[in-house]
Structures are given as C-alpha cells and as structure tokens.
C-alpha cells in the first residue's frame, strides 16, 4: 500500500479505493490500520472474503455447466483459465461502485480510473498526468497497459484508463458469466482479425478482446526492471 501511495497515488494526485480479499480470521496489522486512518487519499477500504477464489470456483462449477461454454472452458493454460480471475473481476466491479458513489457524493467525475493489484511491487514512479495526456488516442477512449506478463493481451496487475472507458471493466465479470455476451464480443473480434489472433486462449487475452470490442484504444507502457 505504501509503495502504491509513493509511486502511483502521489504522482497522479489520485484517490484510492481498495477491495481486498481476506480469510475470515484475517486481522489487519497496526501498520495497515495506521495507513488507512491517516491517508487523505483512501476513500474506501473493504476487506472481503465473498470473492475468494475458492468461493468463486464453486460458483463456476454451478454456473458454467451449460455445454455451450465448452469452447471457452477448454482454452487457456489450464482448464477454465479464462474464468480463473472472476473473483478479481468482481473486486473491480465493487471498486467501481465505490467510485460512482464518491463521484455522486462529491459532485464531480474522475478523469482517469486505474485498476491495480496490490501484489504488484512498484519500484519506479508512474508516468505523469502530462505524459498520459500527451499519449492519448485521438478518436477513442485510451487504456494504458503494462507491456509485461500480458500473455498476448492486457496484464491484469495494473492498467489505467480514461474515465468513460471504466464501465466495461465494471461489467467484465458479467461478460464472462454470459455465453451470449461472450459470443457478442467474439463476433466483433473475429470480424476484425485473423482466426488465430481471435482465439480466446487465456484470461489476459479475454481482457484485451473485450476492451478492443468495446472500441478502447490500447497504449502499452514499458516497465522499469
């Protein structure tokens, strides 16, 4: 949290909305409690075990028994891998609900929304707001992704987008839970690219395809290693 604060939040002058998966018996450390209590950037902090991977796995077995999902379930590096991060997608949706509530309460809309996993260790400063403004796409909403560990798609550990584009991330879990919505995305993808490039072969690729099908423009940022 402190690295995020130093290398990301301060650079972007950003507010923070956390939705963190934790077991039932988890107790936050005094250091974390102090950070939450003293930070003027934290607008929401929710500890939650409803979206734990094991809980989602059971819902996946119930919800994807329909054989029409089979072409998607057999894709990927392991069985069902396009759906393996649904608990993360649900956290994104919860954070966006908190963002919307904060916007309504405070009477303004954010310019950018970023989605970050707290297990990504930041070691360098985020590109400035001026850099983002200078690299925006001209005719479509821009998403800036990290060009590493993306498996031919968009790395889910961090990406930032213009505020109008955030609705697709808020509904990403719903897209993956509906065969009709999946097919709607891939009809667009298959019409715009080659058969091999349109294969839904992993989670990161699903994310890229969903963003592109929604008309988002992707910019890639080189990481500092």
């Amino acid at each position: 949290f402190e690295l995020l604060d130093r290398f990301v939040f301060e650079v972007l002058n950003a507010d923070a909305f956390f939705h963190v998966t934790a077991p039932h018996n988890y107790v936050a450390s005094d250091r974390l409690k102090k950070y939450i209590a003293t930070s003027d950037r934290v607008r929401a902090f929710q500890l939650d075990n409803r979206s734990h991977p094991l809980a989602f796995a059971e819902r996946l077995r119930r919800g994807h028994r329909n054989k029409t999902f089979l072409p998607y379930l057999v894709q990927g590096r392991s069985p069902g891998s396009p759906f393996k991060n649904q608990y993360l997608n649900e956290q994104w949706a919860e954070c966006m609900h908190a963002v919307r509530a904060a916007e309504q309460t405070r009477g303004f809309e954010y310019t950018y929304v970023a989605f970050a996993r707290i297990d990504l260790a930041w070691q360098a400063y985020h590109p400035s707001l001026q850099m983002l403004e200078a690299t925006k796409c001209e005719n479509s909403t821009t998403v800036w992704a990290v060009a590493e560990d993306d498996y031919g798609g968009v790395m889910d550990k961090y990406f930032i987008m213009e505020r109008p584009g955030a609705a697709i991330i808020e509904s990403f879990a719903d897209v993956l839970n509906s065969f009709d919505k999946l097919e709607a995305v891939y009809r667009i993808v298959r019409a715009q690219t080659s058969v091999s490039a349109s294969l839904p072969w992993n989670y990161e690729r699903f994310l890229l395809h969903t963003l592109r099908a929604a008309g988002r423009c992707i910019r890639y940022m080189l990481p500092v290693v």
Side-chain angles (χ1 to χ4, degrees), residues 127-143:
S128 66
L129 290 172
Q130 291 78 9
M131 181 65 73
L132 297 182
E133 287 290 331
T135 57
K136 286 198 300 187
C137 301
E138 291 185 4
N139 299 315
S140 58
T141 301
T142 308
V143 180

Side-chain angles (χ1 to χ4, degrees), residues 35-62:
Y35 167 73
I36 297 170
T38 60
S39 173
D40 58 359
R41 300 191 182 280
V42 177
R43 301 297 175 188
F45 192 99
Q46 181 176 353
L47 288 173
D48 176 33
N49 63 359
R50 293 174 303 163
S51 53
H52 188 276
L54 292 179
F56 171 72
E58 177 56 32
R59 292 200 300 277
L60 179 66
R61 286 191 289 271
R62 293 199 306 266

Side-chain angles (χ1 to χ4, degrees), residues 143 145-146 148-159 203-205 207-209 211 218 220:
V143 180
V146 179
E148 184 178 79
D149 295 334
D150 57 17
Y151 299 100
V154 170
M155 186 179 81
D156 64 356
K157 289 185 178 180
Y158 182 80
F159 55 93
Y203 173 78
E204 293 80 7
R205 197 74 173 170
L207 181 54
L208 172 64
H209 286 162
L211 290 169
I218 313 295
Y220 285 93

Side-chain angles (χ1 to χ4, degrees), residues 64 69-77 80-84 86 89 92 150-154 168-169 172 175-179 181-183 185-186 189 197-214:
H64 290 164
F69 274 98
L70 186 61
Y72 295 99
L73 290 171
V74 299
Q75 297 284 345
R77 299 185 299 279
S81 73
F83 304 91
K84 67 184 174 64
Q86 276 289 65
N89 304 333
W92 286 347
D150 57 17
Y151 299 100
V154 170
I168 189 64
I169 300 302
F172 191 52
V175 172
L176 280 169
N177 276 334
S178 166
F179 180 78
K181 291 178 181 179
L182 280 172
E183 276 295 282
V185 168
Y186 277 99
V189 173
S198 64
L199 287 175
W201 55 274
N202 63 33
Y203 173 78
E204 293 80 7
R205 197 74 173 170
F206 265 99
L207 181 54
L208 172 64
H209 286 162
T210 303
L211 290 169
R212 294 296 295 128

